[in-house]
Amino acid sequence: MPKNDVHLWDVKTGQQKAKLDGHSDYVRSVCFSPDGNTLASSSSDQSIRLWDVKTGQQKAKLDGHSSTVYSVCFSPDGNTLASGSNDKSIRLWDVKTGQQKAKLDGHTSTVYSVCFSPDGNTLASGSNDKSIRLWDVKTGQQKAKLDGHTSTVYSVCFSPDGNTLASGSNDKSIRLWDVKTGQQKAKLDGHTSTVYSVCFSPDGNTLASGSNDKSIRLWDVKTGQQKAKLDGHTSTVYSVCFSPDGNTLASGSSDKSIHLWDVKTGQQKAKLDGHSDYVRSVCFSPDGNTLASSSSDQSIRLWEIKNKYCSDYRFKEIQVKNTRYIYYYGLPILQKRVFYKKPFPFRRIIGVLLVSNIC
């Protein structure tokens, strides 16, 4: 597969819906708009592109960065796109016009992560310069500089109420910051290597973290104590994300797999295989029924996860007007299949009909 491709997959059929061509180098980051109609992508070709998800056509090409664009993030209202780059800058873009609204300068090295606050008024950024910065989205001015990490900050995430910011770093620590004062509230130690991803639960009481030490850890935000350690991946965990109801945690790893975890028990619920290279990012849809993943294999995959929770898979064969069908309860691969006489003991072509999860 060419390195400049973005692929969308239809979760109902398992067939490719669209192949989006345009970038001339590696695609580094993708992000859906809040309404799900637009996909933003960033690349080592220094550009950002906006795509119409329904048609697969490019809507706009946003030029301005002078080096690799590592991160893109939509504002909560979907009107603004933020981007962070190896050129040390952050840029804010008008999604409707594709015009640059602001250029935020201050970082002295690569910007790896950008994240909007829940109200959309503040943007947080994490950088290779070891700092976190908070920006006023309306004015483009820096509101605060949060120092404390002793190495690269790879991930930043706001709590649901917007009062706390979590950060994960190459210094092996997670830090919690008071957004209003800019002061460090807590330092969470436990990981034995780089922390690549942090994510708050929807209720804000739990923080999940993924690390190069192959583990995922769950932390009590109020006490700062580790609640659980989830083992199962065999290599670096690059991304963690809670489902909207907070009951499931998804994780993506350089072992090429995605794992789904029961947050209450800490047990693995499912393992999703399909990517042929590192899984860099995982993200739940707003309704929690679909999981999106992106990978170093240059693909994006959408997973229908509801049926993966069944503990057993059952076939039921029935006869309807001389046509034989098979119902496959709990089938995780949502696609039609056609079978022929050999090696099956019947002559007619039979279709497989997917039935909704009954578990």
Coordinates of all heavy atoms in Angstrom, one line a residue, residues 173-218:
S173 N 6.9 9.6 33.9 CA 5.8 10.1 34.9 C 4.6 10.6 34.2 O 4.6 10.9 33.0 CB 6.4 11.2 35.8 OG 6.5 12.4 35.1
I174 N 3.5 10.6 35.0 CA 2.3 11.3 34.6 C 2.1 12.4 35.6 O 2.3 12.3 36.8 CB 1.1 10.3 34.7 CG1 1.3 9.1 33.8 CG2 -0.2 11.1 34.4 CD1 0.4 8.0 34.1
R175 N 1.7 13.6 35.1 CA 1.5 14.7 36.0 C 0.1 15.2 35.8 O -0.5 15.3 34.7 CB 2.5 15.8 35.8 CG 3.9 15.1 35.9 CD 5.0 16.1 36.1 NE 6.3 15.4 36.1 CZ 7.4 15.7 36.8 NH1 7.3 16.7 37.6 NH2 8.5 15.0 36.7
L176 N -0.5 15.7 36.9 CA -1.8 16.3 36.9 C -1.7 17.8 37.2 O -1.0 18.1 38.2 CB -2.8 15.6 37.9 CG -3.0 14.1 37.7 CD1 -4.0 13.6 38.7 CD2 -3.6 13.9 36.3
W177 N -2.3 18.6 36.5 CA -2.1 20.1 36.6 C -3.4 20.8 36.8 O -4.4 20.4 36.3 CB -1.4 20.7 35.3 CG -0.2 20.0 34.9 CD1 -0.1 18.9 34.1 CD2 1.1 20.3 35.2 NE1 1.2 18.5 33.9 CE2 2.0 19.4 34.5 CE3 1.7 21.4 35.9 CZ2 3.4 19.4 34.6 CZ3 3.1 21.4 36.0 CH2 3.9 20.5 35.3
D178 N -3.4 21.8 37.7 CA -4.5 22.7 37.9 C -4.6 23.7 36.8 O -3.7 24.5 36.7 CB -4.4 23.4 39.3 CG -5.7 24.2 39.6 OD1 -6.1 25.0 38.8 OD2 -6.2 23.9 40.7
V179 N -5.6 23.6 35.9 CA -5.6 24.4 34.8 C -5.7 25.9 35.1 O -5.2 26.8 34.5 CB -6.8 24.0 33.9 CG1 -7.0 25.0 32.7 CG2 -6.6 22.6 33.3
K180 N -6.5 26.2 36.2 CA -6.6 27.6 36.6 C -5.3 28.3 37.1 O -5.0 29.4 36.8 CB -7.7 27.7 37.6 CG -9.1 27.4 37.1 CD -10.2 27.6 38.2 CE -11.6 27.2 37.7 NZ -12.6 27.3 38.7
T181 N -4.6 27.5 37.9 CA -3.4 28.1 38.5 C -2.1 27.7 37.8 O -1.1 28.4 38.0 CB -3.3 27.6 40.0 OG1 -3.0 26.2 40.0 CG2 -4.6 27.9 40.8
G182 N -2.2 26.7 37.0 CA -1.0 26.2 36.3 C 0.0 25.4 37.2 O 1.1 25.0 36.8
Q183 N -0.5 25.1 38.5 CA 0.3 24.4 39.4 C 0.1 22.9 39.3 O -0.9 22.4 39.0 CB 0.0 24.8 40.8 CG 0.2 26.3 41.1 CD 1.7 26.6 40.9 OE1 2.6 26.0 41.6 NE2 2.0 27.6 40.1
Q184 N 1.2 22.2 39.6 CA 1.1 20.7 39.5 C 0.4 20.2 40.8 O 0.7 20.6 41.9 CB 2.6 20.1 39.5 CG 2.6 18.6 39.4 CD 4.0 18.0 39.3 OE1 4.7 18.4 38.4 NE2 4.4 17.2 40.3
K185 N -0.6 19.4 40.5 CA -1.4 18.8 41.6 C -0.9 17.5 42.1 O -1.0 17.2 43.3 CB -2.9 18.7 41.1 CG -3.5 19.9 40.7 CD -4.9 19.7 40.0 CE -5.9 19.0 40.8 NZ -7.2 18.9 40.1
A186 N -0.4 16.7 41.2 CA 0.1 15.4 41.6 C 1.1 14.8 40.5 O 1.0 15.2 39.3 CB -1.1 14.4 41.7
K187 N 1.9 13.9 41.0 CA 2.9 13.2 40.1 C 2.6 11.7 40.3 O 2.7 11.2 41.4 CB 4.3 13.6 40.4 CG 5.4 12.9 39.5 CD 6.7 13.5 39.9 CE 7.9 12.8 39.1 NZ 8.2 11.5 39.7
L188 N 2.2 11.1 39.2 CA 1.9 9.6 39.3 C 3.0 8.8 38.8 O 3.3 8.8 37.6 CB 0.6 9.4 38.5 CG -0.6 10.3 38.7 CD1 -1.8 9.9 37.9 CD2 -0.9 10.5 40.2
D189 N 3.7 8.1 39.7 CA 4.8 7.2 39.4 C 4.4 5.8 39.4 O 3.6 5.3 40.2 CB 6.0 7.5 40.3 CG 6.6 8.9 40.1 OD1 6.8 9.3 39.0 OD2 6.8 9.5 41.2
G190 N 5.0 5.0 38.5 CA 4.7 3.6 38.5 C 5.2 2.9 37.2 O 5.7 1.8 37.2
H191 N 5.0 3.7 36.1 CA 5.5 3.2 34.8 C 7.1 3.1 34.9 O 7.7 4.0 35.5 CB 5.1 4.0 33.6 CG 3.6 3.8 33.2 ND1 3.2 2.6 32.7 CD2 2.5 4.6 33.3 CE1 1.9 2.7 32.4 NE2 1.5 3.9 32.8
T192 N 7.6 2.2 34.1 CA 9.1 2.0 34.1 C 9.7 2.5 32.8 O 10.9 2.3 32.6 CB 9.5 0.6 34.4 OG1 8.9 -0.3 33.4 CG2 9.0 0.1 35.8
S193 N 8.9 3.1 32.0 CA 9.4 3.6 30.7 C 8.5 4.7 30.2 O 7.6 5.1 30.9 CB 9.5 2.5 29.7 OG 10.3 3.0 28.5
T194 N 8.8 5.2 29.0 CA 8.0 6.4 28.5 C 6.5 6.2 28.5 O 6.0 5.1 28.2 CB 8.4 6.6 27.0 OG1 9.8 6.8 26.9 CG2 7.7 7.8 26.4
V195 N 5.8 7.2 28.9 CA 4.3 7.2 28.9 C 3.9 8.0 27.6 O 4.1 9.2 27.5 CB 3.7 8.0 30.2 CG1 2.2 8.0 30.1 CG2 4.2 7.3 31.4
Y196 N 3.3 7.2 26.7 CA 2.9 7.8 25.4 C 1.5 8.3 25.4 O 1.2 9.1 24.5 CB 3.1 6.7 24.3 CG 4.5 6.5 23.9 CD1 5.2 5.4 24.2 CD2 5.1 7.5 23.1 CE1 6.6 5.2 23.8 CE2 6.4 7.4 22.7 CZ 7.2 6.2 23.0 OH 8.4 6.1 22.6
S197 N 0.6 7.9 26.3 CA -0.8 8.3 26.1 C -1.4 8.3 27.5 O -1.2 7.5 28.4 CB -1.5 7.2 25.2 OG -2.9 7.6 25.1
V198 N -2.3 9.4 27.7 CA -3.1 9.5 28.9 C -4.5 9.8 28.4 O -4.7 10.5 27.5 CB -2.6 10.6 29.8 CG1 -1.3 10.1 30.5 CG2 -2.4 11.9 29.1
C199 N -5.5 9.3 29.2 CA -6.9 9.6 28.9 C -7.8 9.5 30.1 O -7.7 8.6 30.9 CB -7.4 8.5 27.8 SG -9.1 8.8 27.3
F200 N -8.6 10.5 30.3 CA -9.6 10.5 31.4 C -10.8 9.7 31.1 O -11.3 9.7 29.9 CB -10.0 12.0 31.7 CG -9.1 12.8 32.6 CD1 -8.2 13.6 32.0 CD2 -9.1 12.6 33.9 CE1 -7.3 14.4 32.7 CE2 -8.2 13.4 34.7 CZ -7.3 14.2 34.1
S201 N -11.4 9.1 32.1 CA -12.7 8.4 32.0 C -13.7 9.5 31.9 O -13.5 10.6 32.3 CB -12.9 7.5 33.2 OG -13.0 8.3 34.4
P202 N -14.9 9.2 31.3 CA -16.0 10.2 31.1 C -16.4 10.8 32.4 O -16.8 12.0 32.4 CB -17.1 9.3 30.5 CG -16.4 8.2 29.8 CD -15.3 7.9 30.7
D203 N -16.3 10.1 33.5 CA -16.7 10.8 34.8 C -15.6 11.5 35.5 O -15.8 12.2 36.5 CB -17.3 9.7 35.8 CG -16.3 8.7 36.2 OD1 -15.1 8.8 35.9 OD2 -16.8 7.7 36.8
G204 N -14.4 11.4 34.9 CA -13.2 12.2 35.4 C -12.6 11.6 36.6 O -11.6 12.2 37.1
N205 N -13.1 10.4 37.1 CA -12.5 9.8 38.3 C -11.3 8.9 38.1 O -10.5 8.7 39.0 CB -13.6 9.0 39.0 CG -14.7 9.9 39.6 OD1 -14.5 11.1 39.9 ND2 -15.9 9.4 39.6
T206 N -11.1 8.5 36.8 CA -10.1 7.6 36.5 C -9.2 8.1 35.4 O -9.8 8.6 34.4 CB -10.6 6.2 36.2 OG1 -11.4 5.7 37.3 CG2 -9.5 5.2 35.9
L207 N -7.9 7.9 35.5 CA -7.0 8.2 34.4 C -6.4 6.9 33.9 O -5.9 6.1 34.7 CB -6.0 9.2 34.8 CG -5.0 9.7 33.7 CD1 -5.7 10.7 32.8 CD2 -3.7 10.3 34.3
A208 N -6.4 6.7 32.6 CA -5.7 5.6 32.0 C -4.4 6.1 31.3 O -4.3 7.2 30.8 CB -6.6 4.9 31.0
S209 N -3.4 5.2 31.4 CA -2.1 5.6 30.8 C -1.5 4.3 30.0 O -1.7 3.2 30.5 CB -1.1 6.1 31.8 OG -0.9 5.1 32.8
G210 N -0.9 4.6 28.9 CA -0.2 3.5 28.1 C 1.3 3.9 28.0 O 1.6 5.0 27.8
S211 N 2.1 2.8 28.1 CA 3.5 3.1 28.2 C 4.4 2.1 27.3 O 3.9 1.0 26.9 CB 3.9 2.9 29.6 OG 5.3 2.9 29.8
N212 N 5.6 2.5 27.2 CA 6.6 1.7 26.5 C 7.0 0.5 27.4 O 7.6 -0.5 26.9 CB 7.9 2.5 26.3 CG 8.9 1.8 25.4 OD1 8.6 1.3 24.4 ND2 10.2 1.7 25.9
D213 N 6.6 0.4 28.6 CA 6.8 -0.7 29.5 C 5.8 -1.8 29.2 O 5.8 -2.8 30.0 CB 6.9 -0.4 31.0 CG 5.5 0.1 31.5 OD1 4.5 0.0 30.8 OD2 5.5 0.7 32.6
K214 N 5.0 -1.7 28.2 CA 4.0 -2.7 27.7 C 2.7 -2.7 28.5 O 1.8 -3.5 28.2 CB 4.6 -4.1 27.6 CG 5.9 -4.2 26.9 CD 6.5 -5.6 26.9 CE 7.8 -5.7 26.4 NZ 8.4 -7.1 26.5
S215 N 2.6 -1.9 29.6 CA 1.5 -2.0 30.5 C 0.5 -0.8 30.3 O 0.9 0.3 29.7 CB 1.9 -2.0 31.9 OG 2.3 -0.8 32.4
I216 N -0.7 -1.0 30.8 CA -1.7 0.1 30.9 C -2.0 0.2 32.4 O -2.1 -0.8 33.1 CB -3.0 -0.3 30.2 CG1 -2.7 -0.5 28.7 CG2 -4.1 0.7 30.4 CD1 -3.7 -1.3 28.0
R217 N -2.1 1.4 32.9 CA -2.4 1.6 34.3 C -3.6 2.5 34.5 O -3.8 3.4 33.7 CB -1.2 2.1 35.1 CG 0.1 1.2 34.8 CD 1.2 1.4 35.7 NE 2.3 0.6 35.2 CZ 3.2 0.0 36.0 NH1 3.1 0.1 37.3 NH2 4.2 -0.7 35.5
L218 N -4.4 2.1 35.5 CA -5.5 2.9 35.8 C -5.3 3.6 37.2 O -4.8 3.0 38.1 CB -6.8 2.1 35.9 CG -7.2 1.3 34.7 CD1 -8.5 0.5 34.9 CD2 -7.4 2.2 33.5

